[in-house]
Structures are given as C-alpha cells and as structure tokens.
Amino acid sequence: MAGSKAAVEEIEVAGHTVRLSSPDRVIFPQRGFTKADVFHYYLSVGDGIMRALRDRPTTLQRFPEGIEGEMFFQKRVPARGVPPWIRTAEISFPSSRKAAELCPADLAHVAWAAQMGTVVYHPWPVRAADVDRPDELRIDLDPQPGTDFTHAVTAAGELRALLDELGATGWPKTSGGRGVHVYLRIHPRWTFVEVRRATIALARELARRRPDLVTTAWWKEERGSRVFVDFNQMARDRTIACAYSLRANPKATVSTPVDWAELTEVDPDDFHLGTVPARFAERGDPHAGIDDSPWDISPLLEWAERDAAAGQGDLPYPPEYPKMPGEPKRVQPSKDRDRPRD
C-alpha cells in the first residue's frame, strides 16, 4: 500500500467527503506504512469494522505523528471544527462526568478519525440507544508471564465448551498481541455492574474447571503462569480494541476475527495491515452473524448469586474507580496487614 504524494486528498466515503492530509506521513516506521495506508486499510475492511463500531460510543487512540510519537486517548469530540455530519453519543464516566464521544453511524466516521491520526478504535460495549446497558459481553483472555498465545487459545477452547453448555455463542478474535478476545452478543437489559458480575461468574467457573490454566486473580502476584480473565474489561469506561482495529505496535497487527476451527492454527502476527485486507476480501467477516442471536445472561447472574452465597463476592475494580458497593479492599495481598497469614 503506497502512500499518495499529494499534500491533501478528498475522498468520498459513505456519501461524505473526507479530507486526507499528509498522506505520506509514516505511521508504522518498522513496516513503512503511512497515514494513507492506515486510512485505506480501514476502508478495505469497512463492513467488518462497522459491524464492530456502528452506533457505539468510541474512544480514539491517536498518534498524529506515528506510533513512535505522542499518543493520547480522545474521549471527547471537539465542539467546533468537525464536519456537521459527525455523530456523537453522551456517555458517563465512573466519576459521573460526561462526554460526547464519537459514535460511528457510517464508515465516513472511521475515515475521519483515521485522518485525525487514529490508529486504534476502542468502542464501548453499548449502543447509542442505551449507553448504560451493554449489549456485548467481552471476555479478555490475557496470557501472563510464562504463558503465550497458545495458552490463551487453549483457554478459549475451554471457554467455548462452557458456553456450549449454556447455549451461548462466543465469537473469537485475536487481540493483535498474545491474547484472545471472545465476545457474546447479549440483550441490553442489564447494567454495567450486572454484566461485570456475570463476567466474573463465568470466569470463576472457567477457572474452577482449569485451575492450572486460568485465573481470575486481580493482583499480579497471585496469577502465576496462567491466563488471566480480565473481568474489569466489562467495567464502565474500560474498552478493548475492536474487531479489525489496528494495534499500535511495530508490526502493525490487527485484532482479527477468526472462526473457532482456525483459532488453533493461526499466528496472530500474520494478521497485519498488509495482509488483512486480502483476507477480508477473500473470505469476508467471520463475525458476520454476531448480531443474529443475542443471549440472556440470567444463568450467569444465578451463578454470581451462588458464588456470593458461598463467600465469593465481588472482585476489585480498577484503581481509578470510586469505591464500589460490595467491593473488597483494593490492597495488594502482600501489603495487606489485615490479611490472615499461614
């Protein structure tokens, strides 16, 4: 993908004119990929990334001078200087402050963000119609030191078996790194707190079945060489790079949807800006059916009640959160003076 030599281009996207300035600016120095390459990459996977982003408030991870330059997360669309067709959705942070975030209605929104130096797209697990009730439950399988992608894949296989028992369909993708993400489309009936509780219950059951492989321990010193299920990715204002989003690493990898059969065979480094467009054109989107059958998370909430009755209540929230009802102490176990000692 060669960058254009023109200083400014105007490109029609979804019925809107989007400017592309500085198309030759290098964004990924190790691979030589330019701003134009990033821009046109997102157009090439348009149907796929819009399936992941449509009507979702989206935080933009921007690198205006490339991934080796300054980075910042943009959570607010400026009140001025943006095209009149840009849509936003108002979201509330854990602090109760609010922001109008980009809410892509079409591919032009994605292209506009790419023009602004966006490399990674971080959508909320909600739609603009109800920003307080998730319609997407996200399971982040994060390999810890001593484990790698193959361990995350094995954990994902165990998770799939558990979901099959529940009658739920999981949709896997590579994280763009060493991890695996599995998404469930759910009915938007429950709050962030309830969906996070459901995720914790699912993670705990997975850890019970494979304690040698999976952990829900929030504190790193307790995780060991296992795959951590990051349940706090379902907390309000915590987001994951979406399907077909580039990742800000030297290889320009892509968080790529796969089907369950190929998950055990792929190398995540093979999915990058230079290869995913051809894959998408050839086979389409493995997540094409993700919206077809939303699931009722009631069984997981029943598991959460069962666990609470057995003394396994809530788990710690991220450190920037206000103290939440029922949350345990946010103290590293080795520094907790009140913790019972053997």
Side-chain angles (χ1 to χ4, degrees), residues 24-104:
D24 290 329
R25 177 175 294 149
V26 176
I27 303 300
F28 291 95
Q30 183 170 304
R31 304 299 295 266
F33 293 136
T34 65
K35 185 177 178 182
D37 292 332
V38 171
F39 186 97
H40 290 289
Y41 162 76
Y42 281 119
L43 298 189
S44 75
V45 295
D47 288 346
I49 197 163
M50 284 309 301
R51 185 169 289 111
L53 291 179
R54 189 180 302 279
D55 296 330
R56 296 192 184 280
T58 301
T59 300
L60 307 177
Q61 189 176 358
R62 294 176 56 189
F63 297 81
E65 302 300 323
I67 65 165
E68 294 182 356
E70 179 186 5
M71 180 278 288
F72 61 94
F73 290 93
Q74 182 170 330
K75 297 188 177 185
R76 291 175 170 83
V77 172
R80 299 178 181 178
V82 301
W85 43 265
I86 288 290
R87 294 188 187 178
T88 62
E90 186 177 79
I91 46 88
S92 297
F93 300 119
S95 64
S96 296
R97 296 178 64 189
K98 298 181 183 296
E101 279 207 333
L102 183 72
C103 191

Side-chain angles (χ1 to χ4, degrees), residues 96-174:
S96 296
R97 296 178 64 189
K98 298 181 183 296
E101 279 207 333
L102 183 72
C103 191
D106 55 38
L107 190 57
H109 288 68
V110 179
W112 173 81
Q115 152 62 17
M116 301 292 288
T118 300
V119 172
V120 189
Y121 294 79
H122 296 267
W124 284 45
V126 301
R127 307 276 188 176
D130 191 340
V131 296
D132 294 316
R133 285 177 164 72
D135 73 329
E136 192 165 74
L137 190 155
R138 301 167 175 176
I139 303 107
D140 181 4
L141 301 172
D142 184 11
Q144 300 302 292
T147 63
D148 56 23
F149 180 72
T150 60
H151 296 90
V153 168
T154 301
E158 299 286 348
L159 174 63
R160 184 192 185 190
L162 181 53
L163 294 175
D164 285 346
E165 292 177 21
L166 290 165
T169 300
W171 301 85
K173 67 182 180 75
T174 66

Side-chain angles (χ1 to χ4, degrees), residues 14 16 46 80 169 176 197 208 215 220 228 232 240 257 338:
H16 302 288
R80 299 178 181 178
T169 300
R197 287 183 65 218
R208 288 188 193 101
T215 181
K220 292 182 179 180
F228 171 53
N232 270 329
I240 298 176
D338 297 329

Side-chain angles (χ1 to χ4, degrees), residues 171-187:
W171 301 85
K173 67 182 180 75
T174 66
S175 69
R178 301 186 311 132
V180 174
H181 301 156
V182 180
Y183 286 6
L184 304 182
R185 189 65 81 242
I186 64 174
H187 294 288

Side-chain angles (χ1 to χ4, degrees), residues 99-292:
E101 279 207 333
L102 183 72
C103 191
D106 55 38
L107 190 57
H109 288 68
V110 179
W112 173 81
Q115 152 62 17
M116 301 292 288
T118 300
V119 172
V120 189
Y121 294 79
H122 296 267
W124 284 45
V126 301
R127 307 276 188 176
D130 191 340
V131 296
D132 294 316
R133 285 177 164 72
D135 73 329
E136 192 165 74
L137 190 155
R138 301 167 175 176
I139 303 107
D140 181 4
L141 301 172
D142 184 11
Q144 300 302 292
T147 63
D148 56 23
F149 180 72
T150 60
H151 296 90
V153 168
T154 301
E158 299 286 348
L159 174 63
R160 184 192 185 190
L162 181 53
L163 294 175
D164 285 346
E165 292 177 21
L166 290 165
T169 300
W171 301 85
K173 67 182 180 75
T174 66
S175 69
R178 301 186 311 132
V180 174
H181 301 156
V182 180
Y183 286 6
L184 304 182
R185 189 65 81 242
I186 64 174
H187 294 288
R189 299 174 185 166
W190 298 275
T191 65
F192 274 98
V193 169
E194 290 169 319
V195 176
R196 179 179 173 275
R197 287 183 65 218
T199 305
I200 291 172
L202 180 63
R204 279 175 165 155
E205 184 63 25
L206 185 62
R208 288 188 193 101
R209 297 187 181 197
R210 286 299 306 269
D212 59 316
L213 176 66
V214 175
T215 181
T216 61
W218 176 245
W219 302 104
K220 292 182 179 180
E221 64 186 35
E222 295 186 320
R223 293 177 188 172
S225 297
R226 291 177 289 180
V227 176
F228 171 53
V229 184
D230 190 354
F231 52 87
N232 270 329
Q233 294 293 6
M234 283 310 308
R236 181 185 290 273
D237 194 32
R238 295 286 283 225
T239 56
I240 298 176
C242 73
Y244 297 104
S245 177
L246 291 163
R247 303 309 308 270
N249 59 49
K251 297 177 182 178
T253 59
V254 173
S255 183
T256 306
V258 295
D259 61 39
W260 284 107
E262 68 177 333
L263 180 61
T264 59
E265 302 171 355
V266 301
D267 181 337
D269 286 347
D270 290 340
F271 299 138
H272 57 76
L273 188 154
T275 59
V276 171
R279 168 185 165 87
F280 189 83
E282 178 181 348
R283 65 160 298 166
D285 183 7
H287 284 193
I290 193 171
D291 293 314
D292 293 347

